[in-house]
Amino acid sequence: MLRAASATFDKPVDNIGTKTIPDYVGYADQHIYTVNIPGCDMPGKVFVGQRQDPFAIGLGVVFDLVMRR
């Protein structure tokens, strides 16, 4: 889903695991915005947020497994 052009973008929360956000891809897709690029005939798309975990261990998954009481 693309939103209308804007100068301000909302950043989704980081992917911290499926217990917290079961459909992260669907959630993150709601944060794709159209942008006008000077000199281009078509608008571009921008996403401001995490897409891949740069760590060797998925810390989000580890913390997602922690049970709160």
Side-chain angles (χ1 to χ4, degrees):
M1 172 176 113
L2 295 178
R3 295 185 185 182
S6 174
T8 308
F9 307 105
D10 289 329
K11 177 199 170 292
V13 298
D14 291 339
N15 186 359
I16 54 176
T18 56
K19 277 184 164 180
T20 306
I21 305 173
D23 180 20
Y24 186 79
V25 172
Y27 167 72
D29 284 347
Q30 297 174 26
H31 294 83
I32 297 174
Y33 299 91
T34 58
V35 293
N36 294 321
I37 302 170
C40 291
D41 295 334
M42 297 177 62
K45 294 188 276 183
V46 66
F47 174 80
V48 179
Q50 176 194 38
R51 283 312 237 181
Q52 292 183 337
D53 191 352
F55 297 103
I57 184 169
L59 294 178
V61 175
V62 172
F63 289 118
D64 193 46
L65 296 175
V66 175
M67 301 290 283
R68 291 187 224 169
R69 291 181 183 231

